[in-house]
């Protein structure tokens, strides 16, 4: 007869976001809300009317997401705005998605994916392939939560460039262990590196401000 671990030592499985998995999610590495959040972010990038394609409309300095001039300057502007250009270029959104796709192919034992066409076509192909295998990844990939966080962060960066929205200001909150976490109001979750506690989004927002705690 095998010894059973004490019930008090059992910890219910959780997603990387800190949310406990439901009964019908057991055996997965990520909860379905995280999977849906990643899928929604990928869909926002896709196509000629997606966020990635719309970055090209805000390359000119001094223009907002609708193409109208929003500010003037006495000095000559740069030929192109660097923030949206870096997201559009190699090393930006397309490269990040392709890197994750390569990682999934390697884990599945599939052949290295091929990139065809320009960057827009490569982005669309990568998005479709990632979405097609999203259920598998959310069920099996040990770094799915990191993937979802990175994809959502990329979408937020694109949104800020397209709409002209200012970058979210980070706030410092205090973990009971004494460590300080820097988060934003849309942070999906975070791990405290002082005590290794994983916080879900609502739990992070319930933590006291670091300055007040001090």
């Amino acid at each position: 007869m095998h010894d059973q671990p004490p019930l008090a030592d059992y910890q219910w499985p959780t997603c990387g976001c800190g949310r406990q998995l439901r009964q019908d999610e057991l055996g997965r590495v990520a909860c379905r809300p995280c999977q849906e959040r990643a899928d929604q972010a990928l869909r926002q990038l896709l196509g000629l009317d997606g966020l990635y394609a719309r970055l090209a409309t805000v390359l000119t300095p001094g223009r907002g997401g609708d193409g109208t001039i929003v500010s003037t300057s006495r000095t000559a502007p740069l030929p192109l705005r660097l923030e949206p250009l870096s997201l559009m270029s190699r090393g930006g959104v397309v490269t990040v998605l392709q890197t994750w796709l390569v990682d999934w192919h390697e884990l599945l034992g599939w052949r290295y994916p091929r990139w065809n066409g320009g960057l827009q076509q490569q982005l669309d192909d990568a998005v479709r392939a990632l979405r097609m295998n999203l259920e598998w990844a959310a069920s099996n990939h040990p770094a799915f939560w990191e993937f979802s966080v990175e994809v959502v962060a990329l979408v937020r960066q694109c949104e800020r460039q397209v709409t002209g929205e200012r970058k979210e200001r980070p706030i410092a909150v205090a973990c009971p262990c004494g460590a300080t976490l820097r988060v934003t109001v849309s942070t999906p979750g975070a791990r405290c590196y002082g005590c290794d506690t994983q916080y879900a989004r609502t739990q992070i927002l319930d933590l006291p401000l670091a300055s007040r705690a001090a």
Side-chain angles (χ1 to χ4, degrees):
M1 180 176 179
H2 296 289
D3 294 333
Q4 297 294 327
L7 187 60
D9 294 339
Y10 177 76
Q11 293 184 341
W12 191 267
T14 60
C15 174
C17 69
R19 176 183 174 274
Q20 286 190 338
L21 298 179
R22 298 182 310 216
Q23 190 74 29
D24 62 348
E25 294 174 332
L26 294 179
R28 295 164 54 96
V29 297
C31 64
R32 287 197 170 85
C34 278
Q35 178 181 343
E36 292 167 2
R37 191 178 301 114
D39 186 53
Q40 180 183 10
L42 289 169
R43 285 188 281 112
Q44 286 180 263
L45 295 169
L46 184 67
L48 295 179
D49 58 348
L51 282 173
Y52 179 78
R54 291 169 63 191
L55 288 171
T57 68
V58 292
L59 285 176
T60 304
R63 293 187 179 272
D66 58 359
T68 59
I69 298 176
V70 295
S71 64
T72 59
S73 173
R74 294 178 180 272
T75 59
L78 290 172
L80 294 174
R81 293 179 59 225
L82 296 180
E83 294 88 350
L85 182 62
S86 65
L87 288 169
M88 292 177 62
S89 304
R90 294 285 181 190
V93 176
V94 176
T95 300
V96 171
L97 297 183
Q98 289 177 338
T99 300
W100 277 108
L101 188 57
V102 169
D103 176 73
W104 293 12
H105 274 235
E106 290 178 346
L107 198 59
L108 286 163
W110 293 353
R111 291 186 302 174
Y112 193 92
R114 297 178 59 184
W115 319 126
N116 299 312
L119 289 177
Q120 180 67 53
Q121 180 180 338
Q122 291 183 32
L123 174 118
D124 291 346
D125 290 346
V127 166
R128 292 190 184 98
L130 290 168
R131 291 190 65 211
M132 186 180 301
N133 294 284
L134 208 57
E135 176 69 25
W136 165 84
S139 299
N140 299 282
H141 199 294
F144 182 84
W145 186 69
E146 288 81 356
F147 160 78
S148 66
V149 168
E150 188 164 17
V151 169
V152 170
L154 281 175
V155 167
R156 291 292 295 136
Q157 291 179 56
C158 292
E159 285 178 330
R160 283 195 294 269
Q161 295 304 320
V162 169
T163 64
E165 176 187 349
R166 292 185 177 182
K167 185 176 181 180
E168 289 182 324
R169 183 178 180 181
I171 57 175
V173 295
C175 178
C177 76
T180 298
L181 306 176
R182 297 189 65 82
V183 300
T184 67
V185 293
S186 61
T187 296
R191 182 178 298 278
C192 174
Y193 292 99
C195 61
D196 204 37
T197 299
Q198 177 69 48
Y199 290 101
R201 178 177 181 273
T202 55
Q203 294 172 319
I204 291 176
L205 298 180
D206 285 339
L207 292 176
L209 295 176
S211 57
R212 294 179 182 175

